[in-house]
Amino acid sequence: MAILTKSQRLVVGVVTLLVVDIIWVISSELTKYVFKNEGFSKPFFSTYVKTTMFMIYLFGFIIWKPWRDQCFNRPVYTLMDLNRDSDNESERRTIEEPLLSDSTWVPIRFHDGGDKGSGNESDDSAAARGLKSVRFSKLTEVRQLSDSQADDALLARLSYMATVRAQEAALRDATKLSVKQVAKIALLFCIPWFLGNLSYQEALLDTEAGIVNVLSCSSALFTLILAAMFPSSTGDKFSLSKFLAVVVSMGGVILISASDQHRIKNYFPPGAMWSVAGAVFYAAYIVMLRRKVNTEDRLDIPMFFGFVGLFNLLIIWPGFFLLHYTKVEKFQWPTYHQWLLLTVNALVGTVLSELLWLWGCFLTSSLIATLSISLTIPLTILFDMVLKKVKYPNLFFFGMMPMFLSFFIVTLLAHYDNWDPVTEYLHKLVSWICCRKKPNIRSLSYRLHEVDQEQSESLINVNSEYS
């Protein structure tokens, strides 16, 4: 795999997140169609089907050899072993493993494929002339370097860039999580992920989409706070610039929702709590996962989601009985057409999109990834305008601008090493105000020096008159 620079990682991550937003827009339209047109408004069943579809990734153990090698604990030799140059290990390697193997004598094979003569004829003629002769042996001594020394010699013959690439590849392989560790992380995060998605779909049943979108965008604010409390990298540091960008993004969502005020009732709907809960669950999920695994090189993302689907299949199924007997969501088996729509929506809108979204999150940051979720609102508007020929008021477009602007501002701040221009300008403003209020020490000392000089000159004049 090619190693990307920081700028390349940001560009690839942003493009990936935008592609995921487009997929989510199409998926949400398909979900609305299933809920309303098909009459299958079962959020728990729909979320369960989408989550268990992640098990498709577990087929990677059949077709992908490195995963199978991890299962059987086969030793994988990497170039990380070449960097073990500590004194203790050098001494241990000297004691346990000799530098050269025992001598082995093999016949000499020449380039013409046969053995040269022993030189007896030339020796006899040389002896007849009274000259000294040289006799060559037909055998040659062969001794082999130890494996560790041979690897060192191989690394020494590589070029500098080849050595750097080999060491970086070895570092990725050495720090990669094992199958057991990936399964533990998936078990830890499968419940928050399921609850976050379930909360969003439950909110859509009881609340207008405008309020749900506004409250769901608060996930970026929760992500900013949680990432500052539990940072996984320097990019998660809290700053006023990031906070202002999040507020601007939420302000754009409020403008879009306010332009459609006739559809939103003037009371706090019950589904609003589901929206806030979903935002909290999603923020906690992505922040804690990034803290557990800080780079994508350590985690096999398809394997992770495969185990998420497996654990949700084994753990979540009692919820069907609980919801059915409490009459919250009665169990109903979908028809063939409903199954087809649910399967297509799960494969494209969840299995593929969640994989790309998490990968984009690792390439950028948790805040950029959650801010990208809010971009589904303006993308939905553009989708309706282009395909459905829906006309929106101008306030919609004023709300779209700050949402895209805040997303790219946070990306720009991440590109410049977590730059915080708002704090810098505030410091400059405070310093300028304080400097205006303080007296000018230099000018004051200069005036005092002039007064002393005048007094001394007057004293000199008085003394000169009396003299």
Side-chain angles (χ1 to χ4, degrees), residues 86-290:
S86 61
D87 296 336
N88 294 333
E89 182 147 352
S90 299
E91 293 177 1
R92 180 184 61 80
R93 184 165 46 188
T94 304
I95 295 173
E96 297 180 357
E97 188 178 23
L99 180 62
L100 296 175
S101 64
D102 296 333
S103 298
T104 303
W105 298 91
V106 297
I108 298 177
R109 295 190 178 275
F110 296 92
H111 296 291
D112 57 359
D115 296 339
K116 292 286 186 182
S118 59
N120 292 333
E121 297 177 357
S122 61
D123 291 344
D124 294 339
S125 61
R129 294 194 302 269
L131 301 176
K132 293 183 179 180
S133 62
V134 178
R135 185 181 297 272
F136 295 95
S137 174
K138 294 182 180 181
L139 301 177
T140 183
E141 182 184 10
V142 177
R143 302 182 70 182
Q144 295 181 349
L145 284 171
S146 62
D147 293 336
S148 59
Q149 294 293 331
D151 289 339
D152 288 335
L154 174 62
L155 185 62
R157 289 194 296 269
L158 295 176
S159 64
Y160 173 75
M161 293 305 300
T163 304
V164 171
R165 289 193 297 267
Q167 290 178 343
E168 289 178 347
L171 179 62
R172 291 196 302 270
D173 293 337
T175 58
K176 205 172 191 64
L177 297 176
S178 63
V179 176
K180 186 177 180 180
Q181 291 172 325
V182 173
K184 287 183 178 179
I185 295 176
L187 180 61
L188 182 63
F189 290 102
C190 65
I191 301 299
W193 187 91
F194 183 87
L195 293 177
N197 283 268
L198 177 63
S199 300
Y200 181 78
Q201 297 204 38
E202 287 284 354
L204 288 175
L205 289 179
D206 302 326
T207 312
E208 291 292 338
I211 295 180
V212 173
N213 290 330
V214 171
L215 297 176
S216 297
C217 290
S218 63
S219 177
L221 181 61
F222 292 126
T223 301
L224 180 64
I225 297 174
L226 291 176
M229 295 173 61
F230 308 100
S232 60
S233 62
T234 55
D236 291 334
K237 182 180 178 182
F238 180 87
S239 64
L240 290 178
S241 300
K242 292 181 181 178
F243 177 75
L244 183 62
V246 172
V247 172
V248 168
S249 177
M250 295 181 64
V253 180
I254 293 174
L255 284 176
I256 292 176
S257 302
S259 62
D260 201 15
Q261 196 64 248
H262 64 279
R263 297 178 56 190
I264 302 177
K265 299 179 181 179
N266 294 323
Y267 65 90
F268 194 76
M273 294 303 298
W274 283 108
S275 301
V276 176
V280 173
F281 280 125
Y282 224 75
Y285 154 73
I286 190 59
V287 170
M288 295 306 170
L289 181 60
R290 280 295 305 272

Side-chain angles (χ1 to χ4, degrees), residues 284-341:
Y285 154 73
I286 190 59
V287 170
M288 295 306 170
L289 181 60
R290 280 295 305 272
R291 182 173 175 83
K292 198 77 175 178
V293 185
N294 54 354
T295 60
E296 74 279 3
D297 295 330
R298 296 192 60 203
L299 178 69
D300 275 311
I301 300 178
M303 184 192 298
F304 166 75
F305 278 116
F307 282 117
V308 168
L310 176 62
F311 291 134
N312 276 323
L313 176 68
L314 300 176
I315 297 173
I316 304 298
W317 63 267
F320 285 107
F321 296 96
L322 179 63
L323 297 178
H324 179 75
Y325 287 107
T326 56
K327 298 182 180 180
V328 176
E329 180 180 315
K330 291 186 177 181
F331 182 81
Q332 177 185 349
W333 194 256
T335 63
Y336 173 78
H337 190 254
Q338 291 171 349
W339 264 120
L340 181 61
L341 294 177

Side-chain angles (χ1 to χ4, degrees), residues 216-465:
S216 297
C217 290
S218 63
S219 177
L221 181 61
F222 292 126
T223 301
L224 180 64
I225 297 174
L226 291 176
M229 295 173 61
F230 308 100
S232 60
S233 62
T234 55
D236 291 334
K237 182 180 178 182
F238 180 87
S239 64
L240 290 178
S241 300
K242 292 181 181 178
F243 177 75
L244 183 62
V246 172
V247 172
V248 168
S249 177
M250 295 181 64
V253 180
I254 293 174
L255 284 176
I256 292 176
S257 302
S259 62
D260 201 15
Q261 196 64 248
H262 64 279
R263 297 178 56 190
I264 302 177
K265 299 179 181 179
N266 294 323
Y267 65 90
F268 194 76
M273 294 303 298
W274 283 108
S275 301
V276 176
V280 173
F281 280 125
Y282 224 75
Y285 154 73
I286 190 59
V287 170
M288 295 306 170
L289 181 60
R290 280 295 305 272
R291 182 173 175 83
K292 198 77 175 178
V293 185
N294 54 354
T295 60
E296 74 279 3
D297 295 330
R298 296 192 60 203
L299 178 69
D300 275 311
I301 300 178
M303 184 192 298
F304 166 75
F305 278 116
F307 282 117
V308 168
L310 176 62
F311 291 134
N312 276 323
L313 176 68
L314 300 176
I315 297 173
I316 304 298
W317 63 267
F320 285 107
F321 296 96
L322 179 63
L323 297 178
H324 179 75
Y325 287 107
T326 56
K327 298 182 180 180
V328 176
E329 180 180 315
K330 291 186 177 181
F331 182 81
Q332 177 185 349
W333 194 256
T335 63
Y336 173 78
H337 190 254
Q338 291 171 349
W339 264 120
L340 181 61
L341 294 177
L342 287 174
T343 304
V344 172
N345 195 13
L347 292 176
V348 179
T350 302
V351 175
L352 177 62
S353 64
E354 289 290 339
L355 176 70
L356 295 176
W357 184 80
L358 184 57
W359 184 54
C361 177
F362 279 122
L363 291 177
T364 54
S365 68
S366 54
L367 179 60
I368 295 176
T370 48
L371 272 177
S372 68
I373 299 176
S374 62
L375 296 183
T376 56
I377 302 173
L379 289 176
T380 303
I381 296 173
L382 295 177
F383 179 84
D384 292 339
M385 291 177 58
V386 175
L387 297 181
K388 297 182 180 181
K389 306 300 180 181
V390 179
K391 294 184 179 180
Y392 288 93
N394 294 329
L395 197 57
F396 271 82
F397 302 99
F398 286 109
M400 291 169 54
M401 293 172 59
M403 296 177 67
F404 281 104
L405 184 63
S406 62
F407 176 76
F408 289 109
I409 284 176
V410 173
T411 304
L412 187 65
L413 296 178
H415 175 70
Y416 289 105
D417 296 327
N418 205 30
W419 181 36
D420 189 8
V422 175
T423 303
E424 292 181 3
Y425 289 134
L426 284 177
H427 279 307
K428 291 181 180 180
L429 180 61
V430 172
S431 301
W432 181 73
I433 294 175
C434 293
C435 289
R436 286 184 61 113
K437 291 182 178 180
K438 290 182 180 180
N440 194 333
I441 305 298
R442 184 178 178 181
S443 60
L444 180 61
S445 60
Y446 181 74
R447 288 196 299 270
L448 291 175
H449 176 70
E450 288 182 344
V451 172
D452 293 338
Q453 187 175 6
E454 290 177 356
Q455 291 179 353
S456 61
E457 288 179 357
S458 62
L459 290 175
I460 292 173
N461 294 331
V462 171
N463 294 331
S464 61
E465 289 179 0

